[in-house]
Each structure stands twice: as structure tokens, then as C-alpha cells.
Amino acid sequence: MSTYEIIFKLTLACILGGIIGLERESLNRPAGFRTYTLVCVGSALAMVVSLDMYYQYHHTVTVDPGRIAAQVVSGIGFLGAGTIMKEGSTVRGLTTAAGLWGVACIGLAVGAGMYVPAVVTSVLILFVLVYFVRFEEQVTGSRLFKGIVVVVDDMPGAVGTIGSHLGEMGVLIKNIHLERLEDGLLEVVLLLRLTPEIEIEEVINKLTHAKGIHSISRLN
């Protein structure tokens, strides 16, 4: 395996992992642009090393070309577990963890020289992350429980203001989790029970204009 081929593989893995990571970064997920890029590049390197060792020593000893690379699939589970958080009755980070596993597999494919499958898989994963949210909403629109994350000023009455706006819309708070952030901010994770007449976008739009709210994102 030439040096230029190795450089090409690592660069391609960096690009593919980074593209998918940007989507996660845009939603402020626990693992984003840098994490996805590092996982993809590291997986590609693991496959390159595994294949190179096979090419060097297969004439003298029995070498499994997939032994090192196989550890990536199981090892990525520990990293993915770190992105999953249980908050009351809700679980966050499953999609991000699944994305990390998928990106690791893309890196392995690039390292093995399977460029077309790697690129196609990257496109499919990105398509699922971006567009399947809307499809899921249409299919499961009858499910009235939705989760949102609101970042507000950490001051008295901030949570009460959110509750007041939701009450005016007839939206009930099923579960709430608070976490203090830096710079005097408070992260409020809400599991809401909507009415059939109200869409989650209406709730987000109303809360966006409330005083003291810095950002709102949906759980997925």
C-alpha cells in the first residue's frame, strides 16, 4: 500500500466523517463535528494498519487482516454510550450514538479501499439524519409527547415563564430536567404532552419570543 494511497484514505475518511458530524454539531449534540471526524479517521487508520500488517507478514505467520479493525466496531460502543443520557422518562443521544457507530463503519470501509460503499453510506446516513425527522413526524404524528431543550438565563422565574407560556397553549409538562451551564445559563429539558391541534413548531415559535430564552432545540 503506497503512502499516497494511505493519505487519500485518511483524507477521504476525514471528509466523510466531518460532513456527517456537521449535521450533529448544528443540533448541538454531545458528539459533533470533531468527534465524528476523529472516529472516522481513526477507524480508517485501524483498517489500514490491519491490512498493512497482513501484507507484510502473511507469508511467514498466520495473520487475520480484520483482527485490529474488528475491535473498532466493539470499541466504539464505549464512546457511543457516553453520548446517551437518561433524563426521567426520556433518553437522549441514541441517534448520535448510532451515528458514531455508522461513521466508524464508514472509516473501516474507506481503509479497506471500498470507496463507493463508504460514500454511498455517508449520503444515506446524512439523508436519514436530515430528512427522516420530517417523515417520522408524519407517520407518528398521533404521538403527542415531544421533547425540547431550552436554554434560558439562570434567574428566578425563568422556568415559571416557560410554564406560563405552555399553559396558555394548553401544553402539559410531563417531565422536566434542569442543568446549570456556564455563563449564567440554565438548560431546561422538557417532555411535553401536546394537544392534537398544536404542533411542536408552534410551541417552539412561541417560546422563542419569550424573555430570557437564548435557544430552543428539539430532542431526537
Side-chain angles (χ1 to χ4, degrees):
M1 192 180 303
S2 68
T3 302
Y4 294 107
E5 185 179 1
I6 294 175
I7 293 175
F8 173 77
K9 289 181 177 181
L10 297 179
T11 303
L12 179 59
C14 181
I15 294 173
L16 296 179
I19 291 174
I20 299 175
L22 279 175
E23 190 278 336
R24 295 284 87 190
E25 187 75 30
S26 67
L27 297 177
N28 196 29
R29 294 299 179 249
F33 176 66
R34 291 181 296 176
T35 305
Y36 272 65
T37 303
L38 291 173
V39 167
C40 200
V41 173
S43 301
L45 180 61
M47 179 59 81
V48 168
V49 171
S50 191
L51 290 176
D52 191 72
M53 291 181 64
Y54 172 75
Y55 295 146
Q56 290 188 47
Y57 302 109
H58 75 281
H59 295 296
T60 57
V61 296
T62 302
V63 179
D64 180 5
R67 175 168 293 182
I68 297 177
Q71 305 310 311
V72 174
V73 178
S74 57
I76 199 66
F78 292 96
L79 184 60
T83 68
I84 300 174
M85 296 171 285
K86 188 175 187 303
E87 299 172 344
S89 59
T90 63
V91 178
R92 301 175 59 189
L94 287 174
T95 302
T96 300
L100 283 172
W101 183 82
V103 164
C105 293
I106 291 172
L108 293 177
V110 172
M114 303 174 65
Y115 305 126
V116 174
V119 173
V120 172
T121 301
S122 300
V123 173
L124 290 175
I125 289 178
L126 195 60
F127 181 83
V128 169
L129 291 175
V130 174
Y131 294 102
F132 270 35
V133 174
R134 304 171 188 174
F135 177 73
E136 183 182 20
E137 290 175 352
Q138 294 177 358
V139 174
T140 63
S142 58
R143 299 182 183 179
L144 303 180
F145 289 98
K146 301 291 182 180
I148 61 173
V149 180
V150 185
V151 177
V152 300
D153 291 323
D154 189 3
M155 57 184 296
V159 178
T161 301
I162 297 175
S164 298
H165 285 290
L166 294 176
E168 292 174 2
M169 302 181 70
V171 177
L172 300 178
I173 300 177
K174 181 68 175 178
N175 185 55
I176 184 171
H177 176 80
L178 307 177
E179 181 178 348
R180 282 186 168 82
L181 307 176
E182 298 178 353
D183 301 325
L185 298 177
L186 181 69
E187 182 183 72
V188 185
V189 181
L190 299 165
L191 179 63
L192 307 177
R193 188 181 189 280
L194 308 179
T195 62
E197 299 79 17
I198 297 180
E199 300 290 339
I200 188 64
E201 287 76 14
E202 298 179 45
V203 176
I204 292 176
N205 290 335
K206 184 171 182 65
L207 292 179
T208 300
H209 299 92
K211 182 179 179 181
I213 293 182
H214 290 263
S215 67
I216 304 176
S217 60
R218 299 181 55 177
L219 290 175
N220 85 348

